[in-house]
Amino acid sequence: MKNKIIISLIITGAFALTNCSNKDFNLQDPSSISTVLFYKTPADAEKALIAVYKGFYSTNYNNQTENIFGEEVWNSKAGGIDMDIFSFTPSSSNISGEWQNNYTTIAQANTVLGKVPDITFIDPSQKAKILAQAHFFRAWSYFQLVKWYGGVPLLTKLPPEGITSADDVSYPRSSVAEVWAQIESDLKAAIPDLPNGWDADNIGRATKGAAIAYLGKAYIYQKKWAEAKKQFEDLFALTNVNKGSNNGYDLLSTFSDNFSQVANNKWSTEAIFMEDYIAMKFANIWGGGGNSEIEKFTIPWDGQTNPNLYGITNFEDADTIRLTASAMYFYKITATGDTIYNKNSNNRSDFKGMSEENFKVGKYVNQKEPWLTWNSWEGMGDYEGVNVNLFRLPNAFLYYAEALNELGDPATAITFINKVRTRAKVKFYPYAFSNSAVYAPVTGDGSQADVRNAIKHERMVEFYLENEHFPDVLRWGDASKAYSTANDYELKTPFNGKAFKTNKQDFKVGKNELLPIPLIELQMNKKITSADQNAGY
């Protein structure tokens, strides 16, 4: 993990270069428009910004991977899949996809930040907003990269004009601390000029609340508790957020409305940042056609990554509101078809005759006809075009509670845990919850350690299958214990004479905390060797 890594950037964007040499690199598209000629008007600046959004929406991989890695899910494909059982390598396509897609967004953001300052605007605030959005998305992409790969090269300027060699776009690998510092810098640059909310024609753009929330999250990941506390207090104080027609962020009264279009949940008061697949009038992200309003779910589209019993049994008996919105199972009771039951239990004997193949994801799918989710792009009706919540208000509540607790104020932290539990209609803390599938039992004793466990429990069940849990157990240092508990429950405890699944999620401490640097980068970069790879790969 040292020296340099080549980032495959060309002047018009960021694309992986495969099997090319320096003599192949001097390529100029004769139909392309010179960057010197193009970036002249505010309209050009807006077009450049749209490219940033398109780059961001190309990172759908992020919406899949964090769930696949989690110990609360399993993949039913025979033998498992590499991302589920941790058998992936530097040559796995998803590994290079995450790297490439985020650097594409960074390259587009750098274009905006490098070219737009020289453009004359009648309205200076328009320019400021464009630059602020570019800063936000550059920070967002670096957040993904540092979270997955550790220290990565920092690109904050446009590549030089007239590139003739791959060596011209080789950059040193920065430290983890340096990457976090860049993320903080970009978000701080974005916050002052982003609006609290956008009008109907621009809904879906990054907001001030989103930038504040991600800066708070960056501090949480670095254990900068006091700084995180301040950011979330700033977030809670915002007014006129999202569509600019309300007093501030607030919880929706119905938990499942966060994942359903039928409830008109588009940019509700709970939504701090979303992937917006229907309201973004300012940019046709998907390029038109039937897919332009479709985001069916946040797991792999093969429909084989599903909740497992370990995950389901982490819900308390009374936590039916969140469980029934998060996971479903099918049980055939007549000869005429399947009837869907939403089952909540911590007792394996209650799952009479069930196998894990019967369990399906409940969030972001048509719960009336969920089988359509795995077989059809269209025909989803009420659940077609559902936006994906990347940062909901409960995330801020629980991050804030975590910061307070680590700063020695568990009593106030408990009040924010209970804000989340109020909507779920489960018992307020202090409560006790433990079973054979819980790696962090809650006793309700009010101590800092127990409140910490309560936050861990709450984050798992509140954000079940929302791409949060795996990064959480990593930053808490709990992955080894969590996977040991899950595998023991899933593989060694028989039910009806057999275990529920056979694919072990083989998380390796000292290795799987990070993804490997993609093989294509190692092959292209003569300045690093396999010895510079992340540990274990």
Side-chain angles (χ1 to χ4, degrees):
M1 295 178 59
K2 55 191 176 186
N3 269 343
K4 298 184 178 181
I5 294 177
I6 290 178
I7 304 303
S8 308
L9 297 176
I10 61 175
I11 199 72
T12 55
F15 302 93
L17 302 175
T18 53
N19 300 321
C20 65
S21 63
N22 286 345
K23 66 182 178 61
D24 300 317
F25 202 88
N26 191 18
L27 301 176
Q28 177 64 40
D29 182 354
S31 64
S32 66
I33 300 174
S34 168
T35 58
V36 176
L37 298 176
F38 180 71
Y39 298 103
K40 295 295 185 182
T41 69
D44 295 338
E46 285 287 356
K47 290 176 183 177
L49 181 62
I50 295 306
V52 178
Y53 278 90
K54 287 182 180 288
F56 165 70
Y57 276 80
S58 74
T59 59
N60 276 336
Y61 165 83
N62 176 68
N63 290 340
Q64 303 169 18
T65 308
E66 294 178 22
N67 280 337
I68 303 173
F69 284 147
E71 88 284 8
E72 77 276 32
V73 300
W74 80 302
N75 190 278
S76 59
K77 186 175 181 179
I81 61 172
D82 60 354
M83 309 302 279
D84 179 44
I85 62 176
F86 292 93
S87 64
F88 52 85
T89 68
S91 61
S92 297
S93 60
N94 282 337
I95 300 301
S96 58
E98 176 80 351
W99 180 279
Q100 178 180 327
N101 289 339
N102 279 294
Y103 272 113
T104 297
T105 306
I106 290 165
Q108 301 294 1
N110 285 343
T111 297
V112 172
L113 295 170
K115 296 294 184 180
V116 171
D118 294 331
I119 298 175
T120 300
F121 282 72
I122 296 175
D123 179 5
S125 69
Q126 181 187 4
K127 177 192 283 191
K129 289 176 184 177
I130 289 172
L131 295 173
Q133 290 169 80
H135 277 294
F136 173 82
F137 283 107
R138 187 166 69 181
W140 192 92
S141 289
Y142 273 124
F143 197 119
Q144 307 312 308
L145 289 167
V146 74
K147 179 174 67 177
W148 289 123
Y149 301 97
V152 296
L154 282 173
L155 283 66
T156 58
K157 296 180 181 179
L158 288 170
E161 297 281 352
I163 294 174
T164 59
S165 168
D167 291 338
D168 291 339
V169 285
S170 176
Y171 297 86
R173 191 176 189 180
S174 298
S175 68
V176 169
E178 289 170 329
V179 179
W180 281 122
Q182 182 62 48
I183 292 167
E184 293 176 18
S185 175
D186 273 328
L187 291 172
K188 289 175 182 177
I191 289 169
D193 294 313
L194 287 174
N196 292 20
W198 294 91
D199 61 27
D201 289 336
N202 290 283
I203 193 72
R205 293 179 185 258
T207 64
K208 187 184 299 290
I212 292 172
Y214 275 97
L215 181 54
K217 184 174 182 176
Y219 288 141
I220 289 287
Y221 271 61
Q222 298 174 82
K223 300 184 179 357
K224 295 182 177 180
W225 306 117
E227 293 91 335
K229 175 178 177 290
K230 172 62 167 57
Q231 288 304 308
F232 290 115
E233 288 170 350
D234 289 349
L235 181 74
F236 302 149
L238 290 180
T239 59
N240 296 319
V241 299
N242 294 340
K243 296 179 182 178
S245 60
N246 53 70
N247 292 325
Y249 294 110
D250 198 6
L251 295 177
L252 291 171
S253 59
T254 303
F255 177 75
S256 60
D257 284 356
N258 284 291
F259 318 104
S260 159
Q261 182 180 348
V262 69
N264 193 28
N265 73 316
K266 303 303 180 184
W267 293 94
S268 69
T269 56
E270 186 165 331
I272 296 173
F273 191 54
M274 283 182 167
E275 282 182 303
D276 192 314
Y277 287 87
I278 194 169
M280 294 183 69
K281 297 180 181 179
F282 68 92
N284 186 357
I285 292 301
W286 286 106
N291 293 354
S292 62
E293 296 183 353
I294 300 295
E295 169 67 359
K296 288 292 192 284
F297 41 85
T298 60
I299 58 173
W301 293 349
D302 61 10
Q304 292 178 299
T305 299
N306 301 318
N308 61 24
L309 281 175
Y310 167 77
I312 289 170
T313 56
N314 271 268
F315 287 81
E316 299 156 67
D317 285 336
D319 203 352
T320 57
I321 289 174
R322 290 187 291 198
L323 178 56
T324 56
S326 303
M328 302 178 292
Y329 78 68
F330 296 79
Y331 189 66
K332 193 161 187 170
I333 59 171
T334 70
T336 59
D338 290 339
T339 297
I340 303 166
Y341 283 84
N342 290 310
K343 184 68 175 178
N344 177 54
S345 176
N346 292 316
N347 187 345
R348 270 183 178 247
S349 66
D350 286 348
F351 296 96
K352 303 182 186 303
M354 298 300 293
S355 66
E356 288 195 326
E357 286 86 349
N358 294 94
F359 288 92
K360 301 296 182 184
V361 173
K363 289 178 177 176
Y364 299 110
V365 303
N366 185 344
Q367 296 195 25
K368 298 176 183 177
E369 299 175 294
W371 47 88
L372 291 177
T373 303
W374 299 281
N375 296 309
S376 173
W377 277 102
E378 299 295 342
M380 295 299 293
D382 292 339
Y383 284 76
E384 185 171 325
V386 177
N387 290 345
V388 177
N389 276 289
L390 297 182
F391 205 116
R392 295 194 284 116
L393 183 59
N395 220 341
F397 283 164
L398 294 176
Y399 281 144
Y400 185 57
E402 189 171 351
L404 289 170
N405 189 55
E406 298 304 324
L407 289 169
D409 187 6
T412 308
I414 288 168
T415 66
F416 280 83
I417 296 172
N418 286 338
K419 284 179 181 289
V420 179
R421 292 178 68 82
T422 296
R423 181 176 58 186
K425 293 182 170 56
V426 289
K427 185 179 178 181
F428 283 3
Y429 189 95
Y431 66 92
F433 178 62
S434 179
N435 63 38
S436 59
V438 176
Y439 76 93
V442 179
T443 66
D445 66 24
S447 67
Q448 184 186 54
D450 194 57
V451 171
R452 186 180 296 125
N453 284 345
I455 292 169
K456 292 177 180 181
H457 169 72
E458 206 63 31
R459 287 191 60 79
M460 181 175 189
V461 295
E462 175 71 21
F463 305 112
Y464 188 59
L465 299 173
E466 291 186 56
N467 314 305
E468 292 283 351
H469 185 62
F470 179 63
D472 275 345
V473 296
L474 289 183
R475 68 185 180 85
W476 291 327
D478 287 353
S480 177
K481 186 174 182 180
Y483 279 97
S484 175
T485 304
N487 283 321
D488 183 69
Y489 188 78
E490 294 289 325
L491 301 175
K492 298 178 182 178
T493 305
F495 176 68
N496 288 351
K498 64 178 183 179
F500 265 86
K501 71 173 186 177
T502 58
N503 298 333
K504 179 181 179 181
Q505 291 183 284
D506 193 18
F507 180 91
K508 297 179 179 64
V509 176
K511 174 182 179 180
N512 295 133
E513 291 86 355
L514 294 174
L515 299 183
I517 300 300
L519 179 62
I520 188 172
E521 295 295 339
L522 298 177
Q523 290 174 331
M524 292 166 54
N525 189 354
K526 298 178 181 178
K527 298 179 181 179
I528 64 170
T529 69
S530 58
D532 301 308
Q533 178 60 275
N534 283 339
Y537 298 102

